[in-house]
Amino acid sequence: MNASPHEGAQQVAGRREWLGLVILALPTLLLSLDLSVLYLALPDLAEDLGASGTQQLWIIDTYGFLVAGFLVTMGTVGDRIGRRRLLLIGGAMFAVASVVAAFATTAPMLIAARAALGIAGATLAPSTLALLTNMFMDAKQRATAIGVWSACFMGGAVLGPPIGGALLSQFWWGSVFLLALPVMVLMLVAGPFLLPEFRNPDAGRIDLPSVLLTLLAIIPVIYGVKQLATEGWEWPAAVALLAGVVMGVLFVMRQRRLADPLFDLSLFSIGPLRTALGLSLVVGTVQGGSLLLINLFLQLVHGFSQLKTGLLLGPPAVGMLLSIMISVGLARFVRPAWLMAGGLLISATGYFILAGVDGDGSLAGVMAGTALAMAGVGPVVSLGSNIVVSSAPVQKAGSASAAVETNGQLGVALGVAVSGSIAAAVYRDQLTVPPGLAGDALDAARDSLAGALAVAAQAPGAIGEALAASARLAFTDGLHLAVTLAGGLFVLLSVFTWLSLRHVEPMRDGFAPPGGAAPETAPPSASAVDSGARS
């Protein structure tokens, strides 16, 4: 029989639930890590596979686009077949796709493997937060558990570089994909024993036209952004952007007509939830793109090894994780609006510091700016997730959880495309090519900094030195513009956050809905109620 809401509301998590949190944290960490771990490997795999600048962007962001595109769909699948079952199926798929990516022999093969990883990742993501919010019914325990989940969600992105650096110092670039294997094996073995099964026997059918519309809205827009930056305002970019917008409008219209929509748009009528979801998208966009550029700057401009680059980014990563957990405790006494707005201003300060660095003697500025930029988003990540979960009606917790992860994954992927495209456009505009280069060498130098340095290494002394110096300076100019825009955006976002969330009270008893204190307990989501038995 189904568990009653009243019984679920009184449940206090025990050892099994806390061990289950570890199992849920693993795929959450891995999903983010699988994106950022490639940042350090990008120069090596680009040279080994002969990937162009455009192919490099697709290798990085295809994964995030498809995770974001399929998250809502897989949330519906999880409601139908069980979230634990979907988690375990996704884990097996992810392991297989990781092996294929590790041993890819061409750039298109790696892009295809990354696409498969994205689809598999989308089967993992909806299960984590939705299961977690129903395993921890006590408000204070749930706040701590969501803080851990948030730390893992963002922690993977910032821990990827040091982990990747350690691997790449000893092994080939494909080793970064094999990280998934031990994680997935542990989850597949322990998950059936530690995780309960939640499924909704009344879950709606999957609306295939809506699934198609989500993909046709996301991918053309991203393609159009990249084409606009690399090729200028030409008709392919304009057509792609227009098509994506039209598909997005059609998706919204269809969801409004369906009795059982793929995504419940009524969630956006809740003010704090709408604000928190918007913040997660914008912050993910800025952080995802900036982290890629910082990694490339340290490797290709400063000339640091992959291991040293990863180790340098370790302390800022730890600072961000501490910021996430500390903000959970402070939110019991301080309004979330103050913590989140203040954090955004700290991040903005970090980005403005990064805007002043150059390629010589600027390591201290790079590290200080990166540390502030990362630490400042901690309150936004942890408190934003809790605001979404607590603001949504309990029967729509599954949809709210999918929206959090969709925005986070799409934001990171979009940030790689937007920031990478901005930096690429500035690079091509500012690059000065010395006389003597032509043909394929000239095209490679203009395509990317990695290409220019490879050409410079083969060119005669004076020409090679001039090309390398010009390319590093042009890339630094692109970084300056991207982080300056990020800092300005975060200042505006700080004001918006305070104005939108200033009425949300401190979360003394866990995480309160707007307008009052949270109840001591909350009933389980109808979408996550076990249809048979909790095993």
Side-chain angles (χ1 to χ4, degrees):
M1 58 184 294
N2 294 347
S4 72
H6 181 70
E7 292 173 350
Q10 294 179 338
Q11 180 181 356
V12 176
R15 183 174 62 179
R16 181 188 180 192
E17 283 76 18
W18 289 110
L19 290 174
L21 173 62
V22 176
I23 300 303
L24 291 179
L26 290 176
T28 302
L29 182 68
L30 184 64
L31 286 173
S32 297
L33 189 146
D34 206 60
L35 176 63
S36 65
V37 77
L38 271 191
Y39 293 167
L40 290 178
L42 190 59
D44 280 356
L45 70 85
E47 180 179 357
D48 191 24
L49 301 180
S52 66
T54 300
Q55 286 176 325
Q56 291 176 46
L57 284 178
W58 278 115
I59 288 170
I60 291 290
D61 59 33
T62 295
Y63 169 79
F65 295 157
L66 291 180
V67 168
F70 279 103
L71 269 173
V72 175
T73 299
M74 294 304 176
T76 301
V77 173
D79 280 341
R80 293 175 65 89
I81 71 172
R83 294 193 179 277
R84 184 183 67 185
R85 181 180 297 177
L86 182 67
L87 180 72
L88 299 179
I89 292 173
M93 294 172 57
F94 202 94
V96 172
S98 295
V99 173
V100 175
F103 295 98
T105 56
T106 65
M109 181 179 177
L110 181 56
I111 293 171
R114 291 283 285 171
L117 282 169
I119 296 173
T123 68
L124 299 172
S127 305
T128 56
L129 185 57
L131 275 173
L132 184 152
T133 55
N134 287 273
M135 290 164 58
F136 295 90
M137 302 311 304
D138 178 78
K140 294 179 181 179
Q141 288 185 326
R142 187 170 64 248
T144 301
I146 292 178
V148 172
W149 179 90
S150 300
C152 290
F153 186 72
M154 293 301 293
V158 294
L159 291 176
I163 293 174
L167 284 174
L168 293 170
S169 68
Q170 301 294 326
F171 307 104
W172 93 115
W173 57 263
S175 64
V176 300
F177 293 106
L178 299 181
L179 281 171
L181 294 184
V183 172
M184 291 298 110
V185 169
L186 178 60
M187 186 183 73
L188 291 172
V189 171
F193 300 99
L194 296 176
L195 300 177
E197 180 64 285
F198 289 99
R199 57 182 176 269
N200 181 8
D202 300 320
R205 66 180 180 85
I206 299 173
D207 184 56
L208 294 180
S210 294
V211 175
L212 181 61
L213 285 172
T214 60
L215 297 175
L216 292 178
I218 293 172
I219 294 177
V221 168
I222 304 306
Y223 173 81
V225 170
K226 293 195 298 184
Q227 288 295 109
L228 184 63
T230 57
E231 304 296 336
W233 191 262
E234 298 183 357
W235 70 266
V239 170
L241 288 170
L242 179 61
V245 171
V246 170
M247 293 298 105
V249 172
L250 291 177
F251 173 79
V252 171
M253 293 173 61
R254 182 170 181 83
Q255 302 316 293
R256 293 185 181 280
R257 293 198 307 267
L258 291 175
D260 189 14
L262 184 67
F263 182 79
D264 189 352
L265 296 176
S266 68
L267 288 173
F268 291 110
S269 65
I270 304 171
L273 183 147
R274 183 173 62 246
T275 298
L277 288 178
L279 287 174
S280 70
L281 178 63
V282 177
V283 168
T285 299
V286 173
Q287 293 292 99
S290 300
L291 188 59
L292 171 62
L293 296 180
I294 292 168
N295 272 277
L296 294 177
F297 179 80
L298 290 173
Q299 285 189 79
L300 300 179
V301 177
H302 269 282
F304 295 142
S305 68
Q306 296 157 331
L307 177 58
K308 185 172 183 179
T309 298
L311 293 175
L312 286 172
L313 292 174
V318 173
M320 181 181 183
L321 299 183
L322 291 175
S323 172
I324 288 174
M325 297 307 299
I326 290 172
S327 65
V328 172
L330 291 177
R332 298 183 63 188
F333 312 101
V334 183
R335 289 178 183 263
W338 288 105
L339 294 172
M340 297 168 75
L344 289 169
L345 289 179
I346 291 173
S347 284
T349 301
Y351 283 121
F352 290 138
I353 291 175
L354 287 169
V357 303
D358 54 41
D360 298 318
S362 60
L363 182 58
V366 174
M367 299 312 301
T370 303
L372 291 174
M374 288 185 176
V377 301
V380 177
V381 173
S382 59
L383 304 187
S385 298
N386 280 280
I387 287 173
V388 170
V389 170
S390 64
S391 297
V394 292
Q395 68 271 21
K396 297 179 181 178
S399 294
S401 300
V404 172
E405 297 205 45
T406 298
N407 276 15
Q409 292 290 341
L410 178 59
V412 172
L414 187 62
V416 171
V418 173
S419 296
S421 298
I422 290 173
V426 174
Y427 171 82
R428 292 182 178 87
D429 182 66
Q430 296 296 316
L431 179 66
T432 301
V433 179
L437 288 182
D440 293 340
L442 179 60
D443 292 339
R446 288 176 172 170
D447 186 63
S448 66
L449 174 57
L453 294 180
V455 171
Q458 302 297 323
I463 294 178
E465 291 175 3
L467 175 61
S470 176
R472 289 189 173 101
L473 181 61
F475 182 88
T476 302
D477 289 341
L479 172 68
H480 288 167
L481 177 59
V483 296
T484 299
L485 292 174
L489 179 61
F490 270 22
V491 170
L492 296 177
L493 204 61
S494 174
V495 176
F496 170 78
T497 300
W498 185 84
L499 291 174
S500 300
L501 300 176
R502 67 187 185 278
H503 299 303
V504 178
E505 296 290 335
M507 302 168 179
R508 295 183 179 88
D509 296 313
F511 285 84
E520 286 294 327
T521 55
S525 166
S527 66
V529 173
D530 183 11
S531 62
R534 179 171 168 160
S535 58

